[in-house]
Amino acid sequence: SQKIEQNSEALNIQEGKTATLTCNYTNYSPAYLQWYRQDPGRGPVFLLLIRENEKEKRKERLKVTFDTTLKQSLFHITASQPADSATYLCALDHNAGNMLTFGGGTRLMVKP
Amino acid sequence: EAQVTQNPRYLITVTGKKLTVTCSQNMNHEYMSWYRQDPGLGLRQIYYSMNVEVTDKGDVPEGYKVSRKEKRNFPLILESPSPNQTSLYFCASKGRSYSYEQYFGPGTRLTVT
């Protein structure tokens, strides 16, 4: 069956360090992969989209990689700040892009 | 301001009492979708709509109905709510049925007793 896995344990890092979050998937052939940020009690907010033919995408302090051979995406936040503390979700499309399946999310805590 | 709105934001109801959660977007998006979020299970898609009068099931459609009579609105209907439908519900929209990011509403926290 299709599965998306993110580290369910919280990631605690010191301010200024680089946070790296992992998203692994099985039995999918997604055309693209998305990362969202979710704060407690609020709806997810889109951050980045990377297509299957792209290896890497950057946006300000964010970087996403997508390895379709390993079936893995890595999400990096450089020079992390306490305001980056949130849950980060990866999501994969299927059914010709009409459906989006989310991983369980990884909670990031950046300590000052 | 471009946004997705949901009402109500909080709802406590009893088993079997029909309810509707409204969703509206002002971005002229063709695609709209409903998700529920539960601890340990993440976000799961309930129904989606690619355009007016076009709806289809997501991963967990049982116990829910939807309709899309207008482009901007996509209500979620629970004809006979049960306690296992206690959850946090999100509506989302995007510009095209294929590709691109979804814009989420603020969520509706539903408790069924």
Side-chain angles (χ1 to χ4, degrees):
Chain A
S1 63
Q2 297 170 322
K3 206 171 180 183
I4 304 173
E5 286 185 338
Q6 295 184 255
N7 194 341
S8 58
E9 290 182 16
L11 177 63
N12 294 294
I13 65 168
Q14 205 66 34
E15 182 176 7
K17 300 292 186 185
T18 296
T20 299
L21 286 67
T22 304
C23 176
N24 295 298
Y25 61 93
T26 56
N27 298 325
Y28 276 104
S29 295
Y32 56 91
L33 182 148
Q34 301 182 31
W35 283 89
Y36 288 78
R37 168 185 173 140
Q38 187 175 24
D39 291 288
R42 307 191 74 166
V45 175
F46 172 79
L47 295 174
L48 277 169
L49 178 151
I50 185 166
R51 300 183 194 286
E52 60 178 337
N53 59 352
E54 297 175 316
K55 294 279 188 219
E56 183 180 296
K57 202 85 170 273
R58 290 175 186 261
K59 179 182 175 183
E60 298 171 352
R61 294 185 295 111
L62 308 180
K63 185 179 87 171
V64 172
T65 63
F66 192 13
D67 189 325
T68 55
T69 302
L70 289 179
K71 295 186 182 296
Q72 181 181 78
S73 175
L74 299 178
F75 177 80
H76 307 271
I77 305 176
T78 58
S80 59
Q81 304 165 1
D84 295 326
S85 298
T87 296
Y88 292 86
L89 309 169
C90 71
L92 299 178
D93 79 293
H94 57 109
N95 192 15
N98 292 319
M99 294 182 67
L100 204 59
T101 297
F102 285 82
T106 298
R107 187 172 173 219
L108 173 66
M109 299 283 290
V110 182
K111 298 186 187 302
Chain B
E1 180 191 354
Q3 60 182 348
V4 177
T5 57
Q6 295 179 227
N7 281 293
R9 295 288 316 279
Y10 302 90
L11 180 59
I12 300 174
T13 190
V14 296
T15 299
K17 186 176 181 183
K18 180 180 178 179
L19 66 92
T20 298
V21 183
T22 64
C23 173
S24 184
Q25 50 93 4
N26 62 1
M27 295 170 278
N28 201 34
H29 284 166
E30 289 90 354
Y31 180 99
M32 297 184 75
S33 184
W34 276 102
Y35 298 84
R36 61 178 289 175
Q37 187 171 37
D38 303 286
L41 295 175
L43 272 163
R44 294 178 293 167
Q45 195 166 17
I46 303 171
Y47 269 95
Y48 64 93
S49 169
M50 292 187 287
N51 216 324
V52 175
E53 301 293 359
V54 181
T55 63
D56 211 340
K57 296 177 181 178
D59 292 319
V60 288
E62 294 78 21
Y64 304 95
K65 283 177 59 177
V66 292
S67 69
R68 188 91 181 273
K69 293 184 170 56
E70 305 166 283
K71 197 172 188 179
R72 63 181 293 131
N73 296 323
F74 190 43
L76 179 70
I77 303 156
L78 284 72
E79 295 267 2
S80 183
S82 62
N84 65 12
Q85 293 178 298
T86 292
S87 187
L88 181 57
Y89 291 87
F90 290 102
C91 180
S93 71
K94 66 174 178 175
R96 281 177 277 179
S97 62
Y98 193 81
S99 190
Y100 304 115
E101 70 270 23
Q102 297 196 16
Y103 295 81
F104 283 80
T108 295
R109 187 166 293 280
L110 172 66
T111 302
V112 184
T113 61

